Amino acid sequence: MEFQWYPGHMTKAKRQMQEDIKLIDLVIELVDARIPLSSRNPDIDELGKNKSRLILLNKYDLADPAVTTAWKKYFTDKGFFVVALDSRNRKGMKEVTQVILDACAKKIERDRARGIKNRPVRAMVVGIPNVGKSTFINSYAGKACAKTGNKPGVTKGKQWIRLNKNVELLDTPGILWPKFEDQQVGLHLACIGAIKDELLQSEELAMELCKIILNRYPGCLNQRYQIDETAELPVILEQIAENRNCRSKGNVLDYNKAALLLIDDFRNGVLGEISLESPDDLKEMA
């Protein structure tokens, strides 16, 4: 299966971000902890090269803890500040503000030297679809989320949200989506739901997901579905349909229903803490 990606408003979003980035001190990039590399926006490094950078490994509760630790080291070694968090349940959120201040320590010190005190750090949150950007903003801001009004130099319509006394977030609709040619990246994005399911063939996606899980987490599928993991992929899907009573009219096995069940179980963490890629994969490719 070939994964297609249609980055709507790519040019407009990129131009908007190039303007907005002049106004901020810090770029906060959300990625999915299960696929930190595949869910990164390849253009952000260039656009934010002169800014402080923070990577949030969101949905870490769904990822393999050991692999997430390896990713934290990987990004830290590259000069990023990194926090693993679960925005939905507010886990790791308390750490974010302090890391933001650490990331912008030099900027804060420069302000103080010039007699500017207590100016909040201005941050922009970026992230591809379905990594939890909105959930993070709402969870971080809480009920105290309030618009602080337009700032000088900000085009009409943009608003700054005061998250707390230390941080302001530029609330901008311009989100740059990734453009990829690597089909493995497309597969990973499809697995976490970052590509519309209507564009995908569920049975093929489920078998590709099976292949990754069988390779990285042997025994996982058997534990959940009581299947023979040594069988061919179509047979595994058939066994899942049989053991989970996925049937259509006429009591016929429904492979599509079984495929959707497997995909949903992965996305919701029912299969356990699973990461689809690790820094070790990069070593193997080198």
Side-chain angles (χ1 to χ4, degrees), residues 23-24 28 97 100 119-125 133-151 154 157-173:
L23 308 168
I24 59 100
I28 301 176
T97 297
I100 286 175
R119 182 171 84 79
V121 168
R122 295 171 178 174
M124 176 193 290
V125 178
K133 175 179 169 287
S134 297
T135 302
F136 165 72
I137 293 173
N138 292 333
S139 180
Y140 191 31
K143 293 182 180 180
C145 176
K147 293 181 179 179
T148 59
N150 288 337
K151 297 288 183 180
V154 183
K158 292 193 186 68
Q159 294 288 335
W160 292 85
I161 297 174
R162 174 65 68 92
L163 297 181
N164 53 54
K165 66 179 182 179
N166 297 311
V167 182
E168 287 183 351
L169 175 70
L170 177 60
D171 182 18
T172 169

Side-chain angles (χ1 to χ4, degrees), residues 79-233:
F80 295 95
F81 288 83
V82 187
V83 176
L85 75 160
D86 167 13
S87 294
R88 290 179 304 172
N89 298 306
R90 295 186 58 81
K91 294 180 180 178
M93 299 297 291
K94 290 182 179 179
E95 186 183 351
V96 174
T97 297
Q98 185 55 54
V99 175
I100 286 175
L101 296 178
D102 291 343
C104 296
K106 291 182 179 178
K107 172 261 172 193
I108 294 170
E109 193 56 43
R110 285 196 304 270
D111 281 353
R112 285 177 181 163
R114 286 154 42 193
I116 303 172
K117 296 180 179 180
N118 302 320
R119 182 171 84 79
V121 168
R122 295 171 178 174
M124 176 193 290
V125 178
V126 298
I128 68 168
N130 216 38
V131 293
K133 175 179 169 287
S134 297
T135 302
F136 165 72
I137 293 173
N138 292 333
S139 180
Y140 191 31
K143 293 182 180 180
C145 176
K147 293 181 179 179
T148 59
N150 288 337
K151 297 288 183 180
V154 183
T155 57
K156 187 176 181 181
K158 292 193 186 68
Q159 294 288 335
W160 292 85
I161 297 174
R162 174 65 68 92
L163 297 181
N164 53 54
K165 66 179 182 179
N166 297 311
V167 182
E168 287 183 351
L169 175 70
L170 177 60
D171 182 18
T172 169
I175 302 302
L176 188 63
W177 294 1
K179 179 181 180 181
F180 63 83
E181 296 175 359
D182 185 347
Q183 286 300 297
Q184 191 67 22
V185 171
L187 169 60
H188 289 165
L189 291 171
C191 287
I192 67 164
I195 299 177
K196 288 184 178 180
D197 287 332
E198 303 87 71
L199 302 175
L200 305 170
Q201 295 172 319
S202 300
E203 292 176 41
E204 289 189 42
L205 177 60
M207 286 191 285
E208 291 293 338
L209 178 59
C210 269
K211 191 186 303 181
I212 297 173
I213 295 174
L214 289 169
N215 180 49
R216 294 181 181 273
Y217 301 93
C220 172
L221 295 179
N222 177 50
Q223 184 175 353
R224 175 64 180 166
Y225 304 114
Q226 294 78 54
I227 52 96
D228 177 11
E229 293 192 348
T230 63
E232 296 293 322
L233 291 172

Side-chain angles (χ1 to χ4, degrees), residues 17 27 29 41-49 53 126 176:
M17 189 170 186
V27 176
E29 183 179 2
N41 187 320
D43 292 323
I44 295 300
D45 284 342
E46 177 61 27
L47 289 169
K49 62 183 177 182
R53 302 290 302 281
V126 298
L176 188 63

